Amino acid sequence: MVGTFAQETRPWRAATDTELKALIPARAPVIQERIETELRTASGITDGKGKYVAGVVLITAGYSAEGRYSHYFVAQVPVKIGDVQLSAGEYLIGWKHNEDSLTVNFYEAASGKFLGSVEAVRNASVTRVESFRVWPPGDKSLIQIGRFTFPYQIGS
């Protein structure tokens, strides 16, 4: 059961640096490896009641994940991204640059199993390039990689 994906009514907000530091591991579980994370790139949201959706860039140089995964993503509530429905859990994100978009792929962190993909488009309303950013649902309901964004929905 993944949950329902209606418009979120709880007041989700951006997670603080302190909250992200407590949530994001220094070394993320990536299949059978533990890959270092770049904490300064972490971004996430919280409902203020202990539930988070967040991600961070992986430092993949020298690991088997290099070129396949670029980000570690944790969801403590169900999240729907395009046709991809993620239960609460840990995931990997990888992307491929197309001419005017990114194809963003999602994988289970523990197994590396491919779960699906979504197209991220260049977003003219986003003026700042970000390694990774989760916008709170009340603001934009977007996840940003570079200049590209894709929508998400929080489940219950």
Side-chain angles (χ1 to χ4, degrees), residues 4-21:
T4 57
F5 293 91
Q7 181 64 29
E8 180 58 47
T9 56
R10 288 182 286 186
W12 287 79
R13 61 167 174 79
T16 65
D17 288 342
T18 302
E19 290 169 326
L20 290 169
K21 188 174 184 178

PDB file of all heavy atoms in Angstrom, residues 4-21:
ATOM      1  N   THR A   4      -2.446   7.452  -0.372  1.00  0.00           N
ATOM      2  CA  THR A   4      -3.145   8.354  -1.267  1.00  0.00           C
ATOM      3  C   THR A   4      -2.294   9.585  -1.516  1.00  0.00           C
ATOM      4  O   THR A   4      -1.467   9.957  -0.690  1.00  0.00           O
ATOM      5  CB  THR A   4      -4.506   8.767  -0.661  1.00  0.00           C
ATOM      6  OG1 THR A   4      -4.261   9.350   0.612  1.00  0.00           O
ATOM      7  CG2 THR A   4      -5.429   7.578  -0.513  1.00  0.00           C
ATOM      8  N   PHE A   5      -2.519  10.198  -2.661  1.00  0.00           N
ATOM      9  CA  PHE A   5      -1.690  11.338  -3.047  1.00  0.00           C
ATOM     10  C   PHE A   5      -2.569  12.541  -3.362  1.00  0.00           C
ATOM     11  O   PHE A   5      -2.614  13.031  -4.466  1.00  0.00           O
ATOM     12  CB  PHE A   5      -0.816  10.975  -4.253  1.00  0.00           C
ATOM     13  CG  PHE A   5       0.210   9.940  -3.903  1.00  0.00           C
ATOM     14  CD1 PHE A   5      -0.057   8.603  -4.060  1.00  0.00           C
ATOM     15  CD2 PHE A   5       1.412  10.321  -3.350  1.00  0.00           C
ATOM     16  CE1 PHE A   5       0.871   7.655  -3.695  1.00  0.00           C
ATOM     17  CE2 PHE A   5       2.349   9.381  -2.987  1.00  0.00           C
ATOM     18  CZ  PHE A   5       2.081   8.044  -3.165  1.00  0.00           C
ATOM     19  N   ALA A   6      -3.249  13.011  -2.361  1.00  0.00           N
ATOM     20  CA  ALA A   6      -4.070  14.210  -2.502  1.00  0.00           C
ATOM     21  C   ALA A   6      -3.205  15.420  -2.187  1.00  0.00           C
ATOM     22  O   ALA A   6      -2.071  15.291  -1.736  1.00  0.00           O
ATOM     23  CB  ALA A   6      -5.256  14.144  -1.542  1.00  0.00           C
ATOM     24  N   GLN A   7      -3.745  16.590  -2.404  1.00  0.00           N
ATOM     25  CA  GLN A   7      -3.009  17.802  -2.052  1.00  0.00           C
ATOM     26  C   GLN A   7      -2.722  17.777  -0.554  1.00  0.00           C
ATOM     27  O   GLN A   7      -3.598  17.568   0.262  1.00  0.00           O
ATOM     28  CB  GLN A   7      -3.829  19.051  -2.420  1.00  0.00           C
ATOM     29  CG  GLN A   7      -3.140  20.358  -2.123  1.00  0.00           C
ATOM     30  CD  GLN A   7      -1.871  20.572  -2.932  1.00  0.00           C
ATOM     31  OE1 GLN A   7      -1.753  20.073  -4.041  1.00  0.00           O
ATOM     32  NE2 GLN A   7      -0.926  21.290  -2.382  1.00  0.00           N
ATOM     33  N   GLU A   8      -1.476  17.929  -0.211  1.00  0.00           N
ATOM     34  CA  GLU A   8      -1.034  17.867   1.173  1.00  0.00           C
ATOM     35  C   GLU A   8      -1.563  19.072   1.951  1.00  0.00           C
ATOM     36  O   GLU A   8      -1.461  20.202   1.498  1.00  0.00           O
ATOM     37  CB  GLU A   8       0.489  17.849   1.222  1.00  0.00           C
ATOM     38  CG  GLU A   8       1.058  17.785   2.591  1.00  0.00           C
ATOM     39  CD  GLU A   8       0.607  16.581   3.396  1.00  0.00           C
ATOM     40  OE1 GLU A   8       0.625  15.464   2.886  1.00  0.00           O
ATOM     41  OE2 GLU A   8       0.219  16.784   4.562  1.00  0.00           O
ATOM     42  N   THR A   9      -2.135  18.795   3.138  1.00  0.00           N
ATOM     43  CA  THR A   9      -2.688  19.882   3.941  1.00  0.00           C
ATOM     44  C   THR A   9      -1.804  20.238   5.132  1.00  0.00           C
ATOM     45  O   THR A   9      -1.957  21.304   5.704  1.00  0.00           O
ATOM     46  CB  THR A   9      -4.095  19.517   4.458  1.00  0.00           C
ATOM     47  OG1 THR A   9      -4.010  18.287   5.187  1.00  0.00           O
ATOM     48  CG2 THR A   9      -5.070  19.376   3.298  1.00  0.00           C
ATOM     49  N   ARG A  10      -0.892  19.340   5.521  1.00  0.00           N
ATOM     50  CA  ARG A  10       0.022  19.676   6.620  1.00  0.00           C
ATOM     51  C   ARG A  10       0.993  20.749   6.141  1.00  0.00           C
ATOM     52  O   ARG A  10       1.369  20.781   4.979  1.00  0.00           O
ATOM     53  CB  ARG A  10       0.799  18.445   7.069  1.00  0.00           C
ATOM     54  CG  ARG A  10      -0.060  17.451   7.815  1.00  0.00           C
ATOM     55  CD  ARG A  10       0.769  16.291   8.258  1.00  0.00           C
ATOM     56  NE  ARG A  10       1.051  15.468   7.074  1.00  0.00           N
ATOM     57  CZ  ARG A  10       1.655  14.302   7.090  1.00  0.00           C
ATOM     58  NH1 ARG A  10       2.084  13.799   8.210  1.00  0.00           N
ATOM     59  NH2 ARG A  10       1.856  13.624   5.982  1.00  0.00           N
ATOM     60  N   PRO A  11       1.428  21.599   7.049  1.00  0.00           N
ATOM     61  CA  PRO A  11       2.334  22.688   6.660  1.00  0.00           C
ATOM     62  C   PRO A  11       3.789  22.218   6.529  1.00  0.00           C
ATOM     63  O   PRO A  11       4.589  22.430   7.432  1.00  0.00           O
ATOM     64  CB  PRO A  11       2.154  23.699   7.785  1.00  0.00           C
ATOM     65  CG  PRO A  11       1.826  22.854   8.979  1.00  0.00           C
ATOM     66  CD  PRO A  11       1.036  21.698   8.456  1.00  0.00           C
ATOM     67  N   TRP A  12       4.130  21.584   5.440  1.00  0.00           N
ATOM     68  CA  TRP A  12       5.511  21.173   5.201  1.00  0.00           C
ATOM     69  C   TRP A  12       6.365  22.416   5.022  1.00  0.00           C
ATOM     70  O   TRP A  12       5.919  23.420   4.474  1.00  0.00           O
ATOM     71  CB  TRP A  12       5.603  20.294   3.966  1.00  0.00           C
ATOM     72  CG  TRP A  12       5.060  18.921   4.199  1.00  0.00           C
ATOM     73  CD1 TRP A  12       3.735  18.548   4.218  1.00  0.00           C
ATOM     74  CD2 TRP A  12       5.798  17.738   4.471  1.00  0.00           C
ATOM     75  NE1 TRP A  12       3.618  17.217   4.487  1.00  0.00           N
ATOM     76  CE2 TRP A  12       4.875  16.691   4.637  1.00  0.00           C
ATOM     77  CE3 TRP A  12       7.154  17.462   4.578  1.00  0.00           C
ATOM     78  CZ2 TRP A  12       5.262  15.378   4.916  1.00  0.00           C
ATOM     79  CZ3 TRP A  12       7.542  16.162   4.845  1.00  0.00           C
ATOM     80  CH2 TRP A  12       6.604  15.139   5.011  1.00  0.00           C
ATOM     81  N   ARG A  13       7.598  22.348   5.506  1.00  0.00           N
ATOM     82  CA  ARG A  13       8.523  23.461   5.404  1.00  0.00           C
ATOM     83  C   ARG A  13       9.899  22.915   5.055  1.00  0.00           C
ATOM     84  O   ARG A  13      10.149  21.711   5.165  1.00  0.00           O
ATOM     85  CB  ARG A  13       8.581  24.230   6.725  1.00  0.00           C
ATOM     86  CG  ARG A  13       9.074  23.377   7.887  1.00  0.00           C
ATOM     87  CD  ARG A  13       9.431  24.187   9.112  1.00  0.00           C
ATOM     88  NE  ARG A  13       9.753  23.362  10.253  1.00  0.00           N
ATOM     89  CZ  ARG A  13      10.919  22.747  10.457  1.00  0.00           C
ATOM     90  NH1 ARG A  13      11.899  22.862   9.584  1.00  0.00           N
ATOM     91  NH2 ARG A  13      11.124  22.013  11.541  1.00  0.00           N
ATOM     92  N   ALA A  14      10.798  23.821   4.683  1.00  0.00           N
ATOM     93  CA  ALA A  14      12.182  23.424   4.414  1.00  0.00           C
ATOM     94  C   ALA A  14      12.817  22.924   5.708  1.00  0.00           C
ATOM     95  O   ALA A  14      12.616  23.511   6.777  1.00  0.00           O
ATOM     96  CB  ALA A  14      12.970  24.603   3.861  1.00  0.00           C
ATOM     97  N   ALA A  15      13.557  21.827   5.620  1.00  0.00           N
ATOM     98  CA  ALA A  15      14.283  21.303   6.778  1.00  0.00           C
ATOM     99  C   ALA A  15      15.503  22.187   7.031  1.00  0.00           C
ATOM    100  O   ALA A  15      16.111  22.724   6.101  1.00  0.00           O
ATOM    101  CB  ALA A  15      14.713  19.868   6.520  1.00  0.00           C
ATOM    102  N   THR A  16      15.858  22.331   8.299  1.00  0.00           N
ATOM    103  CA  THR A  16      17.021  23.136   8.664  1.00  0.00           C
ATOM    104  C   THR A  16      18.306  22.324   8.433  1.00  0.00           C
ATOM    105  O   THR A  16      18.265  21.092   8.306  1.00  0.00           O
ATOM    106  CB  THR A  16      16.971  23.546  10.146  1.00  0.00           C
ATOM    107  OG1 THR A  16      17.084  22.361  10.951  1.00  0.00           O
ATOM    108  CG2 THR A  16      15.686  24.301  10.473  1.00  0.00           C
ATOM    109  N   ASP A  17      19.440  23.008   8.416  1.00  0.00           N
ATOM    110  CA  ASP A  17      20.727  22.333   8.279  1.00  0.00           C
ATOM    111  C   ASP A  17      20.934  21.320   9.407  1.00  0.00           C
ATOM    112  O   ASP A  17      21.448  20.222   9.183  1.00  0.00           O
ATOM    113  CB  ASP A  17      21.880  23.340   8.261  1.00  0.00           C
ATOM    114  CG  ASP A  17      21.934  24.143   6.969  1.00  0.00           C
ATOM    115  OD1 ASP A  17      21.320  23.727   5.962  1.00  0.00           O
ATOM    116  OD2 ASP A  17      22.606  25.198   6.966  1.00  0.00           O
ATOM    117  N   THR A  18      20.532  21.675  10.613  1.00  0.00           N
ATOM    118  CA  THR A  18      20.670  20.777  11.763  1.00  0.00           C
ATOM    119  C   THR A  18      19.820  19.524  11.569  1.00  0.00           C
ATOM    120  O   THR A  18      20.267  18.406  11.840  1.00  0.00           O
ATOM    121  CB  THR A  18      20.278  21.504  13.067  1.00  0.00           C
ATOM    122  OG1 THR A  18      21.117  22.657  13.214  1.00  0.00           O
ATOM    123  CG2 THR A  18      20.416  20.610  14.277  1.00  0.00           C
ATOM    124  N   GLU A  19      18.585  19.690  11.105  1.00  0.00           N
ATOM    125  CA  GLU A  19      17.707  18.548  10.848  1.00  0.00           C
ATOM    126  C   GLU A  19      18.276  17.657   9.751  1.00  0.00           C
ATOM    127  O   GLU A  19      18.266  16.426   9.863  1.00  0.00           O
ATOM    128  CB  GLU A  19      16.305  19.031  10.462  1.00  0.00           C
ATOM    129  CG  GLU A  19      15.545  19.659  11.614  1.00  0.00           C
ATOM    130  CD  GLU A  19      14.280  20.363  11.182  1.00  0.00           C
ATOM    131  OE1 GLU A  19      14.238  20.937  10.065  1.00  0.00           O
ATOM    132  OE2 GLU A  19      13.313  20.353  11.971  1.00  0.00           O
ATOM    133  N   LEU A  20      18.788  18.266   8.683  1.00  0.00           N
ATOM    134  CA  LEU A  20      19.353  17.484   7.581  1.00  0.00           C
ATOM    135  C   LEU A  20      20.594  16.723   8.034  1.00  0.00           C
ATOM    136  O   LEU A  20      20.789  15.560   7.650  1.00  0.00           O
ATOM    137  CB  LEU A  20      19.672  18.389   6.394  1.00  0.00           C
ATOM    138  CG  LEU A  20      18.457  18.953   5.664  1.00  0.00           C
ATOM    139  CD1 LEU A  20      18.885  20.036   4.681  1.00  0.00           C
ATOM    140  CD2 LEU A  20      17.684  17.848   4.962  1.00  0.00           C
ATOM    141  N   LYS A  21      21.421  17.348   8.860  1.00  0.00           N
ATOM    142  CA  LYS A  21      22.634  16.693   9.353  1.00  0.00           C
ATOM    143  C   LYS A  21      22.276  15.459  10.189  1.00  0.00           C
ATOM    144  O   LYS A  21      22.968  14.439  10.135  1.00  0.00           O
ATOM    145  CB  LYS A  21      23.474  17.673  10.171  1.00  0.00           C
ATOM    146  CG  LYS A  21      24.823  17.126  10.559  1.00  0.00           C
ATOM    147  CD  LYS A  21      25.680  18.181  11.229  1.00  0.00           C
ATOM    148  CE  LYS A  21      27.057  17.608  11.520  1.00  0.00           C
ATOM    149  NZ  LYS A  21      27.950  18.571  12.118  1.00  0.00           N
TER     150      LYS A  21
END
